[in-house]
Amino acid sequence: MARMSVHTPGTDGPDVSGSGAPHRAGFACFVGRPNAGKSTLTNALVGQKVAITSNRPQTTRHTVRGIVHRPDLNAQLVLVDTPGLHKPRTLLGERLNDVVRTTWAEVDVIGFCLPADQKIGPGDRFIAKELAEVRKTPKVAIVTKIDLVDSKTLAEQLIAIDRLGQELGIEWAEIVPVSAIGDKQVKLLGDLLVPLMPESPPLYPEGDLTDEPEQVMVAELIREAALEGVRDELPHSIAVVVEEMLPREGRPADKPLLDIHANVYIERSSQKGIIIGPKGSRLKEVGIKSRKHIEALLGTPVFLDLHVKVAKDWQRDPKQLRRLGF
């Protein structure tokens, strides 16, 4: 039976710091089928938005590193958020899967995210079988979205995950139920990941929350806003490229303004109307929503200039994929 880590209110997580404990630092990777809550969990552990979240599967396309500083445990966790592993239908899908497998080979621990509100399905088994091939890396099963289920359903899911491990020869280092939205056991998860990290000085300076270039993060925030509301119409057809980010010239020092020019790419001309909306209303909404997050991220007022362009069938075209950063 794998070790279950269920935290009861009124108690603290395990004391792994000890007095004068050596500093630990390393990389943890969250995997799981699309929409298993990996990005939301990354943001909750970091304490700030560093990975884009959406109710559309396959939202994450870049390997985002969120950096968690735990001075209380004399440790630093670097969270690698990968795209969901899936059976690919396009060249983009194949490239995303390659990113996942390469990452697994390079991290210190793998967190396998399984939503509490959905029974283990073929997608989870597909990933678990792949994980079973990764012999040396410790694996933690993370049961996400526990705020959506009652205690009976949660208990059944914990048992099912333990059985899945036994069936495939995976020895879970921990099985941890969490709710990133309800902030339940998120800190405990960090406490349990730390001892699985190697002894190491900090890998990033104090205060750094991610090593993603700002332009990539800005593009991701715009894409997140563009994905909202289009539901099933354009789940994977949107890509965003920030062409330039420049401080506005001639502004007083106490009133800076950053000009950001970005292109939103879609695959077909017929999709333009969906993104732009009647009289430009949707695109305006995308601009307002993303600008708020961009200003919070960069700490400066922003002028955002968005244009919608067609890059025909970009998900299947190697040249277009390169141009759009994949």
Side-chain angles (χ1 to χ4, degrees):
M1 181 81 174
R3 185 173 150 202
M4 308 267 184
S5 291
V6 185
H7 192 40
T8 49
T11 65
D12 289 319
D15 175 22
V16 291
S17 58
S19 52
H23 192 280
R24 291 183 180 274
F27 294 86
C29 164
F30 292 150
V31 302
R33 62 187 154 87
N35 208 18
K38 301 179 297 292
S39 298
T40 310
L41 186 56
T42 297
N43 291 335
L45 276 160
V46 173
Q48 195 174 315
K49 194 183 192 77
V50 292
I52 86 163
T53 57
S54 159
N55 58 5
R56 304 297 322 148
Q58 275 317 108
T59 306
T60 308
R61 288 183 185 157
H62 296 274
T63 304
V64 175
R65 289 186 168 84
I67 302 157
V68 183
H69 302 273
R70 291 294 302 267
D72 57 325
L73 301 180
N74 204 21
Q76 188 182 76
L77 292 171
V78 184
L79 305 175
V80 183
D81 183 45
T82 58
L85 193 74
H86 61 298
K87 288 185 177 159
R89 293 189 197 93
T90 62
L91 181 60
L92 172 66
E94 283 172 30
R95 291 207 176 159
L96 293 177
N97 276 357
D98 288 344
V99 167
V100 177
R101 290 193 186 95
T102 307
T103 305
W104 289 4
E106 294 170 350
V107 295
D108 301 294
V109 63
I110 299 170
F112 182 21
C113 295
L114 298 117
D117 63 330
Q118 293 164 39
K119 283 192 158 63
I120 292 171
D124 300 311
R125 287 185 173 278
F126 171 69
I127 294 166
K129 279 179 184 158
E130 296 263 342
L131 274 180
E133 300 300 309
V134 186
R135 297 277 177 221
K136 288 180 183 165
T137 316
K139 295 158 203 76
V140 173
I142 303 166
V143 188
T144 59
K145 309 184 183 186
I146 61 168
D147 51 303
L148 301 180
V149 298
D150 58 25
S151 54
K152 182 175 174 284
T153 309
L154 176 58
E156 284 166 3
Q157 185 74 324
L158 292 170
I159 292 162
I161 290 166
D162 187 50
R163 280 198 192 124
L164 177 70
Q166 288 175 18
E167 199 184 302
L168 297 173
I170 301 170
E171 194 178 324
W172 305 119
E174 303 278 355
I175 299 178
V176 196
V178 301
S179 166
I181 298 287
D183 195 23
K184 287 181 186 153
Q185 303 220 129
V186 173
K187 181 178 177 290
L188 176 73
L189 175 62
D191 294 349
L192 295 166
L193 290 174
V194 164
L196 299 170
M197 297 294 147
E199 290 181 18
S200 160
L203 302 166
Y204 291 92
E206 197 182 329
D208 280 15
L209 298 179
T210 181
D211 69 353
E212 273 283 17
E214 281 181 347
Q215 275 189 231
V216 172
M217 290 191 71
V218 167
E220 288 289 87
L221 289 170
I222 295 167
R223 192 164 70 89
E224 178 179 36
L227 275 168
E228 263 180 54
V230 294
R231 302 272 176 246
D232 303 314
E233 297 163 286
L234 308 174
H236 312 314
S237 303
I238 299 170
V240 177
V241 176
V242 173
E243 298 296 338
E244 60 176 18
M245 285 170 49
L246 294 168
R248 176 82 57 93
E249 284 181 15
R251 297 279 296 191
D254 60 339
K255 286 191 179 168
L257 185 68
L258 189 67
D259 285 318
I260 298 177
H261 301 277
N263 291 328
V264 178
Y265 289 95
I266 44 174
E267 293 194 294
R268 291 185 293 283
S269 303
S270 59
Q271 297 170 334
K272 246 183 166 177
I274 299 170
I275 285 289
I276 293 168
K279 297 183 178 171
S281 58
R282 264 231 83 237
L283 191 63
K284 188 178 175 186
E285 203 178 299
V286 169
I288 291 166
K289 273 191 175 159
S290 57
R291 194 180 73 231
K292 194 172 78 178
H293 289 303
I294 292 164
E295 288 181 341
L297 172 76
L298 302 176
T300 185
V302 160
F303 172 78
L304 185 58
D305 177 38
L306 292 180
H307 293 272
V308 180
K309 298 195 170 187
V310 179
K312 198 167 164 18
D313 291 330
W314 65 265
Q315 292 190 68
R316 290 172 173 79
D317 180 345
K319 227 189 281 180
Q320 301 261 37
L321 280 172
R322 268 198 304 279
R323 193 163 65 87
L324 297 174
F326 298 108

